[in-house]
């Protein structure tokens, strides 16, 4: 159990929503009543009331008026996309880089610095921060929710650290599940090629003022095949059980959720055990047979103190254990968040503190070179933050936010943002932001460690080639976390048939984690190439992101989004060594990506077609690819829905990414089909 | 006033985007509830349940609409159904959709939309800061719906 005296408070999820809300002006100022309060009023009286939005734009006003690069996927988008995992759904959003590594592993990032162990994104599930204290990134396989349980996914590109927590360097992904009462009973069953299946059920209802929901899901995802080795991974199986209770009373609201997960997969790792390294000249593959289990608990309490003040509290705890033939690790996080808010006049002020206490343990299995000392370690963070949104003028908003993070294993730091919004006309918005965001410390960067991450060959003496492995050996704490200064400019247009959203950005990073060569260590039968963590400064990225939506006919909608990004690192160019360069390159993302989506309805059939074009990754020699996803959905009888889903249909097999550590082979993403049945009461 | 917690709850449990729409959403729900009092459905269709369907509603809008779930209108009790655009709407008495897609011509369905479009009987419009609505009498007749003259008088435009 967490030690609350030293635990930290983190409420990142909270803030995403909060900030979005905060950025909207009118609704706040007019103190809107809820529908229930209005129902008994006669129509004449209702017609005399002012509506609290100044435009008739149908798109969610808050997004339109938010001075940040933000986009959202709704439950409808998710269902139409036909995806079975959240990571694949994120491909539909502009500027989000998603690449599949194996059946159960993804590299997901925003604005670059991607990888299996990417660590510059704040990912939240109903406000609970999901990054692991081991490497500050997210294990996407642990986030295997039934897609039907998700209400929406909001993505903020660019720094959001001031409001959303220490890890929101490159962006924030906020996954919001449906409230307890959203659906009654529901069953979804789907089957496809190679034994692929999805199965989920939900039962919800209401008892007095308490609303409840129980849901369960089971999935089987076929393993992928290695490009060189021809080896096929075992299938990935995963199960999840979740429950939620929502209760509301006068001026209070309470929500409690519990979830448990279990999953089995077997990605291939490079076999870095000494005996295997000595025995082979090429990289030996080890199927690591992973078994994962975990649970999470969360309680939120919301209270209205006065007409203008409100208080929110969130408490969560999660525990995850991963056991495999290469490494066993176990992590737990305890979070507490408190937030006070006052909305008065032209100001909307938020003050809060959050605390996160993480414990983690990792050890190599059967001689696999993973050692972190001490085996069981702890990281604590306590943060204080504040933000004011000020409506200077009906057409101008100014937002300033500041955050201070006190960390047990790294230097304390400050984060800030300034944002401005100009309502240039009813249909147009301009926004500008400058911010500084910091990464969060992780066990691999703060504690002494020795971790093997690749197999290769070395030439310790001229003409003598011997098997080798590359190890990262660290004695010292990398005290300073990633540091980003960002400048962003955005424009939005919201017409009746056409909408546009454009963003340009400039990012400058310091203290990015990289590796430098420190020497060779002779071993019986092989050589260890030793590296240690180093930090890269002055890494710059520039880019643009765009999204257009055009309703060209009554039943048809065409969407196009894309992004370009260009990374520059002067210190790599100045010749600090191949290893450093490769460390930076391993975080490379495609220089451009595009997604074109056509949605329409023909008779009773709803059709969705998506074409994605992703540029090549030159540093790791991955080709550009084009993928076509298609979903056809219809309703044979009321209450039932049938969907036929095809994904990755154009290109036969393609590689999207290679794991930057423990690399064994590259695995090919194949065309897939799924027939999905849904029953809903 | 309940503003504070509702807003923050939205932040935590729903999402913020919808929050700014809240007053608009609440007003629309109250309008729709009022509309039902001024409409006569075809006799064959009048039962003890009045089914109100939403097509892929925005979450906040759905929360607001839930205020109607179980509420009585005359002798009927309202029931809320959430649909996707491809679903069958014949069981609906009222259908509300924000999406400007056309709606099937099923009779007995009061189609309420945000903008005037084929198939809609009532469409909302915002004039100045006020929420207004237009009524398409021809469409109402085609769907076998009788609209009281009191509601027609309140409409901004009757086609």
């Amino acid at each position: 159990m967490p030690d609350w005296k030293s635990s930290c408070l983190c409420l990142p999820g909270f803030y995403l929503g909060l900030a979005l809300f905060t950025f909207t002006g009118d609704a706040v100022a007019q103190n809107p009543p809820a529908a229930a309060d209005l129902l008994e009023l006669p129509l004449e009286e209702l017609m005399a009331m002012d509506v609290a939005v100044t435009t008739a734009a149908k798109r969610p006003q808050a997004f339109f008026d938010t001075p940040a690069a933000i986009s959202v996927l709704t439950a409808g988008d998710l269902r139409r996309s036909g995806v079975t995992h959240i990571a694949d759904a994120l491909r539909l959003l502009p500027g989000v880089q998603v690449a599949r590594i194996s059946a159960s592993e993804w590299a997901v990032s925003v604005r670059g610095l991607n990888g299996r162990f990417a660590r510059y994104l704040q990912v939240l599930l109903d406000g609970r921060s999901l990054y692991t204290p081991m490497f500050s990134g997210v294990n996407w396989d642990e986030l295997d929710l039934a897609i039907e349980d998700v209400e929406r996914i909001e993505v903020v590109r660019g720094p959001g650290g001031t409001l959303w927590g220490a890890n929101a360097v490159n962006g924030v992904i906020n996954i919001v599940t449906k409230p307890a009462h959203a659906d009654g009973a529901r069953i979804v069953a789907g089957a496809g090629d190679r034994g692929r299946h999805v199965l989920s059920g939900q039962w919800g209802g209401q008892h007095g003022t308490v609303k409840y929901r129980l849901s369960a899901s089971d999935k089987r995802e076929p393993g992928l095949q290695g490009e060189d080795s021809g080896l096929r991974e075992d299938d990935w199986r995963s199960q999840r059980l979740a429950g939620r209770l929502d209760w509301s009373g006068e001026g209070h609201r309470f929500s409690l959720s519990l979830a448990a997960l279990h999953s089995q997969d077997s990605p291939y790792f490079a076999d870095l055990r000494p005996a295997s390294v000595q025995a082979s000249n090429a990289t030996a593959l080890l199927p690591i047979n992973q078994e994962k289990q975990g649970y999470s608990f969360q309680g939120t309490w919301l209270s209205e103190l006065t007409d203008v003040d409100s208080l929110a509290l969130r408490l969560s705890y999660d525990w995850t254990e991963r056991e495999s033939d290469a490494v066993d690790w176990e992590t737990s996080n305890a979070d507490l968040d408190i937030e006070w808010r006052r909305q008065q006049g032209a100001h909307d002020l938020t003050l809060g503190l959050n605390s996160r206490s993480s414990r983690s343990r990792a050890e190599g299995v059967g001689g696999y070179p993973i050692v972190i000392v001490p085996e069981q370690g702890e990281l604590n963070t306590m943060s204080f933050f504040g933000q004011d949104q000020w409506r200077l003028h009906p057409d101008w908003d100014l937002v300033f936010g500041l955050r201070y993070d006190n960390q047990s294993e790294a230097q304390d730091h400050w984060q800030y943002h300034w944002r401005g919004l100009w309502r240039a006309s009813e249909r147009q918005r301009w926004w500008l932001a400058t911010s500084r965001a910091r990464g969060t410390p992780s066990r691999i960067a703060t504690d002494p460690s020795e971790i093997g991450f690749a197999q290769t060959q070395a030439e310790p003496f001229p003409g003598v080639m011997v098997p080798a492995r590359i190890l990262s050996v660290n004695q010292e704490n990398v005290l300073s976390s990633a540091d980003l200064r960002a400048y962003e400019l955005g424009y939005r247009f919201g017409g009746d048939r056409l909408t546009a959203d454009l963003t340009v950005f400039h990012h400058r990073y310091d203290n990015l984690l990289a590796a430098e060569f420190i020497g060779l260590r002779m071993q019986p039968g092989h050589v260890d190439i030793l590296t240690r963590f180093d930090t890269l400064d002055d890494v710059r990225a520039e880019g643009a992101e765009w999204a257009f939506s055009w309703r060209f006919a009554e039943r048809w909608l065409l969407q196009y989004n894309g992004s370009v990004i260009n990374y520059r690192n002067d210190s790599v160019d100045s010749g600090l060594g191949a290893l450093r360069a490769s460390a930076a390159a391993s975080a490379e993302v495609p220089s451009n990506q595009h997604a074109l989506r056509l949605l329409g309805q023909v008779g009773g059939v709803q059709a969705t077609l998506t074409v994605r074009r992703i540029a090549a990754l030159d540093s790791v020699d991955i080709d550009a690819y084009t993928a076509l996803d298609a979903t056809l959905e219809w309703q044979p009888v009321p209450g039932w829905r049938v969907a036929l889903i095809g994904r990755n249909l154009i290109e036969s097999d393609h590689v999207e990414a290679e794991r930057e550590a423990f690399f064994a082979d590259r695995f090919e993403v194949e065309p897939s089909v799924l027939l999905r049945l849904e029953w809903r009461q | 006033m309940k503003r504070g917690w509702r807003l923050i709850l939205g932040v935590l449990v729903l999402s913020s985007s919808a929050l700014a729409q809240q007053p608009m959403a609440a007003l629309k729900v109250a309008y729709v509830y009022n509309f039902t009092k001024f409409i006569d459905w075809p006799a064959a269709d009048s039962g003890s349940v009045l089914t109100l369907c939403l097509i892929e509603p925005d979450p906040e809008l759905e929360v607001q609409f839930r205020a109607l779930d179980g509420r009585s209108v005359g002798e009927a009790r309202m029931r809320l159904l959430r649909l996707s655009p491809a679903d069958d709407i014949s069981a609906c008495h009222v259908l509300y959709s924000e999406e400007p897609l056309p709606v099937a011509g099923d009779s007995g369905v009061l189609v309420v939309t945000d903008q005037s479009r084929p198939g809609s009987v009532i469409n909302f419009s915002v004039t100045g800061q006020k929420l207004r609505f237009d009524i398409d009498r021809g469409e109402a007749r085609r769907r076998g719906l009788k609209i009281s003259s009191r509601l027609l008088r309140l409409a901004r435009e009757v086609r």
Side-chain angles (χ1 to χ4, degrees):
Chain A
M1 281 301 291
D3 170 9
W4 290 112
K5 275 176 281 183
S6 61
S7 76
C8 58
L9 305 158
C10 281
L11 193 82
F14 232 44
Y15 307 139
L16 175 53
L18 184 75
L20 293 179
F21 175 73
T22 304
F23 292 143
T24 73
D26 290 333
V28 182
Q30 300 197 13
N31 198 8
D37 303 336
L38 296 174
L39 287 180
E40 296 311 329
L41 298 178
L43 205 45
E44 290 84 347
E45 208 166 306
L46 295 172
M47 291 177 72
M49 290 183 162
D50 280 351
V51 279
V53 283
T54 50
T55 70
K58 289 189 311 296
R59 290 295 99 205
Q61 204 62 28
F63 287 96
F64 198 61
D65 274 350
T66 300
I70 187 159
S71 40
V72 69
L73 283 177
T74 63
D77 290 331
L78 292 168
R79 211 190 60 247
R80 278 190 286 261
S81 72
V83 299
T84 53
H85 193 278
I86 282 169
D88 280 328
L90 297 171
R91 296 176 194 265
L92 298 173
L93 292 166
V96 182
Q97 289 110 13
V98 179
R100 193 152 186 203
I101 297 166
S102 71
S104 55
E105 294 172 296
W106 281 264
V108 178
S109 192
V110 170
R111 296 184 179 173
L113 300 173
N114 205 1
R116 163 65 180 86
F117 302 102
R119 54 194 167 272
Y120 301 114
L121 216 52
Q122 173 72 297
V123 183
L124 307 157
L125 178 61
D126 288 330
R128 183 168 60 87
S129 194
L130 297 176
Y131 65 85
T132 162
M134 294 307 305
F135 63 94
S136 294
V138 171
N139 291 315
W140 288 90
D141 54 350
E142 292 165 12
L143 191 55
D144 204 18
L145 300 171
I147 287 290
E148 304 80 49
D149 283 345
V150 179
E151 176 77 63
R152 60 202 293 124
I153 303 176
E154 303 163 328
V155 173
V156 177
R157 306 182 300 274
T162 303
L163 282 167
W164 304 315
N167 214 34
V169 177
N170 268 353
V172 184
I173 296 178
N174 189 28
I175 301 155
V176 182
T177 60
K178 289 179 177 164
H181 58 287
D183 301 315
R186 185 194 66 218
I187 293 173
V188 174
D193 60 308
R194 295 184 190 280
R196 171 191 315 279
H197 80 234
V198 290
L199 192 63
S200 82
Q202 182 199 283
W203 175 68
Q206 186 166 358
H207 188 81
T209 53
V210 178
K211 288 160 180 165
Y212 55 87
R213 178 184 71 200
L214 265 176
S215 58
S217 63
D218 178 72
K219 272 198 238 180
R220 179 203 289 268
E221 180 72 22
L224 307 187
Q225 191 165 23
E227 185 186 35
D228 296 330
S229 64
L231 293 170
R232 188 173 281 280
E233 303 172 287
D234 285 349
D235 292 351
W236 172 31
R237 290 297 304 267
S238 113
Q239 297 90 34
R240 194 177 175 95
L241 195 65
R244 177 160 165 172
L245 279 178
D246 291 347
W247 171 83
S248 55
E250 190 58 40
H252 297 273
R253 205 167 267 205
F254 188 73
S255 178
L256 191 69
S257 51
L258 279 162
L261 68 97
H262 178 260
S263 134
Q264 266 174 310
D265 61 357
S266 193
Y268 280 96
F269 270 36
D271 193 344
L272 300 175
R273 295 173 299 189
S276 308
V277 172
Q278 287 154 26
S280 70
N281 284 323
T283 299
L285 276 70
L286 176 70
I288 65 165
N289 299 314
Q290 266 187 122
E291 179 155 14
K292 293 158 273 191
Q293 50 185 325
Y295 66 84
S296 63
F297 153 89
Q298 174 163 300
T300 45
W301 174 63
L302 309 142
S303 172
E304 184 209 347
L305 304 174
T306 71
D307 274 3
V308 293
D309 298 288
S310 52
L311 188 70
L313 248 141
R314 194 179 67 79
L315 193 68
S316 71
Y317 181 78
D318 62 78
W319 172 84
T320 315
E321 182 184 61
R322 299 168 72 96
E323 287 182 334
S324 75
D325 293 341
V327 60
D328 284 351
W329 47 335
E330 185 186 344
T331 56
S332 65
N333 299 294
D335 287 42
L336 173 66
D337 312 305
I338 302 172
E339 185 182 299
W340 170 75
R341 179 154 179 216
R342 166 167 281 192
Q343 299 149 258
Q344 207 167 25
H347 290 271
D348 185 347
L349 181 71
T350 307
L351 291 174
L353 74 110
N354 55 70
S355 147
R356 181 175 179 89
S357 175
S358 301
R359 279 176 199 195
S360 55
R361 171 184 71 81
E363 56 179 334
V365 171
Y368 205 88
I370 293 180
V371 179
I372 299 178
V373 184
E375 201 176 282
Q376 174 97 39
E378 205 172 312
L379 292 171
N380 298 306
T381 306
M382 172 76 93
S383 308
F384 304 89
F385 67 91
Q387 172 175 287
D388 185 34
Q389 184 202 353
W390 181 21
R391 171 155 285 198
L392 282 166
H393 176 272
D395 293 334
W396 291 88
D397 285 356
L398 188 65
V399 179
F400 174 64
L402 189 65
R403 179 189 187 93
Y404 177 73
D405 299 301
N406 175 287
Q407 309 183 104
S408 64
E409 306 301 323
Q411 286 164 356
D412 294 358
H413 54 225
W414 290 92
Q415 311 189 57
Y416 66 79
H417 68 169
W418 282 102
R419 293 175 188 272
L421 176 81
W422 175 39
R423 296 176 183 84
S425 76
E426 202 174 276
R427 292 172 182 276
Q428 296 182 85
R429 300 287 183 274
W430 287 92
W431 62 269
L432 190 70
T434 165
S435 34
R436 184 171 184 188
R438 304 296 301 258
T440 224
S442 61
R443 291 289 308 285
I444 58 159
T446 58
D447 287 335
S449 64
E450 186 166 321
I451 299 172
F453 61 89
Q455 185 177 359
T456 181
Q457 300 233 314
E459 195 177 354
F461 311 106
V464 184
M465 291 294 278
V466 292
R469 53 183 191 172
I470 305 175
L471 268 69
S472 171
V473 180
N474 296 285
Q475 297 303 326
E476 285 166 28
N477 183 341
V478 182
L479 278 170
S480 203
S481 313
D483 187 354
L484 168 64
R485 285 176 179 81
Y487 308 90
E488 298 167 276
L489 174 68
Y491 170 78
R492 285 189 191 103
F493 174 80
D496 290 334
R497 291 186 162 268
L498 184 76
T499 65
D501 189 349
L502 311 165
T503 309
V504 291
F505 64 89
H506 172 85
H507 282 190
R508 180 189 187 277
Y509 302 87
D510 291 307
N511 291 325
L512 286 184
L513 212 53
E516 68 171 347
F517 173 70
I518 49 174
L520 295 177
R521 186 166 66 194
M522 299 303 175
Q523 301 279 25
H526 78 276
V527 172
D528 282 341
I529 299 170
L530 306 182
T531 68
R532 71 176 170 206
F533 284 132
D534 184 17
T535 51
L536 280 180
D537 289 337
D538 202 21
V539 176
R540 293 162 197 230
E542 280 114 29
E545 295 135 352
W546 56 87
F548 299 94
S549 171
W550 178 37
R551 202 172 285 282
F552 60 95
E554 280 298 347
R555 282 170 188 247
W556 296 87
L557 181 67
L558 189 66
Q559 295 175 330
Y560 164 58
N561 69 55
S563 60
V564 290
I565 187 166
N566 175 40
Y567 259 86
R568 284 182 294 125
N569 184 352
D570 297 341
S571 58
V572 171
D573 295 342
S574 63
L576 276 171
L579 265 171
R580 270 188 86 157
S582 73
S586 70
E588 195 199 7
V589 292
S591 62
N592 62 81
Q593 59 180 44
H594 309 267
L596 187 68
R597 208 163 174 238
L598 179 69
L599 300 97
Q601 203 171 323
V602 187
V605 178
Q606 199 180 323
T608 309
L609 289 176
T610 308
V611 180
R612 295 178 279 118
R613 173 74 184 172
I614 313 295
L617 273 175
D618 294 330
S619 60
V620 282
D621 199 24
I622 287 175
D623 293 337
Y625 69 91
T626 306
L628 171 73
D629 305 331
T631 302
L632 296 175
E633 189 176 57
W634 66 97
Q635 191 188 35
V637 281
W640 289 82
R641 274 182 210 154
V642 182
L644 186 61
I645 298 153
R647 293 185 49 77
N648 297 298
L649 293 177
I650 299 180
E651 206 133 325
S652 48
D653 300 342
H654 66 272
V655 169
E656 297 184 354
E658 64 176 53
R659 197 193 301 109
E660 69 272 29
F662 319 115
F663 169 71
D665 192 1
R666 311 202 298 197
F667 288 79
E668 291 174 328
V669 176
E670 299 157 338
S672 69
V673 290
L674 184 75
L675 182 69
R676 187 180 66 192
L677 284 172
E678 182 178 326
W679 171 81
R680 201 182 276 250
Q681 196 198 22
Chain B
M1 301 307 287
K2 295 181 183 168
R3 182 188 64 182
W5 63 254
R6 206 178 336 108
L7 298 183
I8 298 263
L9 180 82
V11 165
L12 284 161
V13 178
L14 297 165
S15 95
S16 52
S17 72
L19 292 171
Q21 292 181 317
Q22 189 164 290
M24 174 70 102
L27 266 179
K28 283 179 179 168
V29 171
Y31 271 56
V32 168
Y33 178 64
N34 268 282
F35 294 160
T36 61
K37 297 176 180 169
F38 299 113
I39 309 272
D40 277 338
W41 275 268
D45 235 18
S46 62
S48 57
V49 173
L50 198 144
T51 306
L52 202 164
C53 303
L54 302 175
I55 296 191
E56 282 176 3
D58 175 277
E60 181 57 29
L61 189 78
E62 190 183 350
V63 164
Q64 297 286 3
F65 264 104
R66 291 219 167 252
L68 296 181
D69 206 3
R71 188 172 276 267
S72 3
V73 190
E75 286 161 22
R77 266 166 64 86
M78 290 187 114
R79 180 176 65 132
L80 202 61
L81 265 187
R82 175 189 171 124
L83 301 179
S84 98
D87 286 350
D88 178 24
I89 62 161
S90 58
C92 307
H93 292 93
V94 182
L95 177 88
Y96 174 71
S97 166
E98 291 172 291
E99 294 289 311
L101 292 167
V103 181
D106 299 48
S107 83
V109 185
L110 173 70
V111 177
V112 183
T113 59
D114 275 2
Q115 287 183 336
S116 169
R117 59 179 155 111
S120 83
V121 177
I122 301 183
N123 66 270
F124 286 117
S125 69
V126 177
T127 308
Q129 294 265 56
K130 312 288 191 222
L131 185 61
R132 293 285 179 263
F133 58 93
D134 306 327
I135 296 177
D136 188 331
R137 279 182 96 172
E139 189 63 41
R141 250 181 255 122
R142 269 190 294 282
R143 292 176 180 272
L145 302 169
K146 260 187 232 137
I147 301 181
S148 110
S149 58
R150 191 172 151 214
L151 189 62
L152 292 172
R153 269 201 304 279
L154 293 172
R156 187 189 65 164
E157 197 183 311
V158 178
R159 288 187 297 273

